[in-house]
Amino acid sequence: MVLFRSLLLKAILVASVSSFPLPVWNVRCSTSTGTGTSAHHDLSIAARILNSAASLPAQDAGTSLSSSSLSDSDNSSLTSLYLDVSIPNRDNNAKDGDDSPLRLIFHVPTSPALLPLHTENIIKLFSQSQRSIDSRCSYVGCAFRHSPQFVEGFPQYRWAHVLDGRSINAVGRGSDRIEEKDAMSACRVDVVGSGSYYGIRYEDIPTVGDAYDNTGGGRGVALTVPLSGPGRGSTSLSVVRVGDSPQEWGERLLINSAVIGWMDPSCGEALRTMATQTDGPPSVVASGVL
């Protein structure tokens, strides 16, 4: 018996340091003798140890898991997009003569995307990948809406900035509206006493940082597309300042729209500059994928 246990422990030691995946052993002993019971106990322990070792990922010699590899895996599920926005007369008003465009960066989950067709359409419009087929499949040259509803400081301000685009989609037939009823039913978010929105939950949007007084859960800025009204299923998008809005607004600003991404926290000052200026409609001068 001593010899048996010695051989068994050696087998466990060899198996535990092996670089190859181990088989899962299901060991049973039917003998009822005292020796058999002891052997059953030893084999059960061995089986548990080997099963635990088998569940670990096999690694090549000299390699190990690292936080950078995990980080790369996480980042691979996001697509980062940008809009460069020009404001009329900014060269006359900017500090130190800085008249360079304002850059807004957005992060859009793509693996998986909760609303894949809407997400693909926005990414292709940003990247201009379909422009050789139809020059209208781009936001470059388009202007954000500009009126008291879209200028912070006016009582009519709606805490959102809308870019309509040219109403020609970059997926499917350009003039057809995008419909994703099944996907919508799977990602509906109800706002108590108000209605519903779809896509990413607002509470899952990263915050906007200290520039927006990062308290009470942060200041998330959502990238949305409309799911009702004349702009639904087309090229219209909105940059919605949910976290900065008064308490009575909040998630209600997202009703009847789909949240497909969020703005990068580093762009808070650029968005505020765009939101408070009264010189004219902000225009997109460049866009793409980072």
Side-chain angles (χ1 to χ4, degrees), residues 39-268:
H40 175 261
H41 177 72
D42 290 336
L43 288 174
S44 296
I45 294 173
R48 287 196 295 270
I49 295 173
L50 291 174
N51 289 345
S52 298
S55 67
L56 295 174
Q59 299 178 35
D60 294 332
T63 63
S64 62
L65 293 177
S66 66
S67 59
S68 62
S69 64
L70 294 175
S71 177
D72 292 342
S73 175
D74 292 342
N75 291 337
S76 66
S77 65
L78 291 178
T79 297
S80 296
L81 311 170
Y82 73 90
L83 292 175
D84 284 344
V85 180
S86 176
I87 296 175
N89 302 320
R90 185 165 180 252
D91 54 341
N92 296 328
N93 300 326
K95 296 179 180 179
D96 302 323
D98 181 11
D99 59 350
S100 59
L102 300 170
R103 172 158 291 191
L104 303 179
I105 298 173
F106 305 95
H107 302 297
V108 178
T110 53
S111 180
L114 296 177
L115 294 166
L117 291 180
H118 284 85
T119 299
E120 181 184 0
N121 190 46
I122 292 298
I123 290 174
K124 286 184 174 180
L125 291 169
F126 269 77
S127 68
Q128 308 178 65
S129 62
Q130 303 299 302
R131 199 169 186 178
S132 60
I133 300 173
D134 192 322
S135 61
R136 295 172 293 180
C137 291
S138 169
Y139 288 119
V140 175
C142 297
F144 282 85
R145 295 183 191 177
H146 191 73
S147 71
Q149 289 185 336
F150 304 103
V151 179
E152 184 179 0
F154 283 85
Q156 302 97 317
Y157 185 49
R158 301 291 296 273
W159 299 96
H161 299 272
V162 180
L163 182 64
D164 288 314
R166 297 184 174 91
S167 301
I168 299 296
N169 287 326
V171 297
R173 291 172 57 91
S175 58
D176 290 348
R177 294 186 187 275
I178 297 173
E179 299 283 354
E180 293 189 276
K181 293 182 179 179
D182 290 341
M184 286 172 57
S185 64
C187 61
R188 173 174 170 169
V189 183
D190 293 323
V191 179
V192 178
S194 299
S196 302
Y197 65 93
Y198 302 82
I200 304 168
R201 289 180 177 273
Y202 170 70
E203 63 190 30
D204 294 332
I205 296 175
T207 59
V208 175
D210 295 337
Y212 278 68
D213 184 20
N214 187 20
T215 59
R219 303 291 188 181
V221 177
L223 177 65
T224 73
V225 294
L227 296 177
S228 65
R232 67 177 178 84
S234 190
T235 61
S236 181
L237 63 80
S238 297
V239 182
V240 187
R241 300 172 65 189
V242 180
D244 277 343
S245 67
Q247 186 174 2
E248 60 268 23
W249 286 96
E251 285 182 86
R252 293 176 178 83
L253 293 169
L254 304 174
I255 290 175
N256 295 327
S257 67
V259 180
I260 63 169
W262 59 86
M263 191 185 76
D264 190 274
S266 65
C267 302

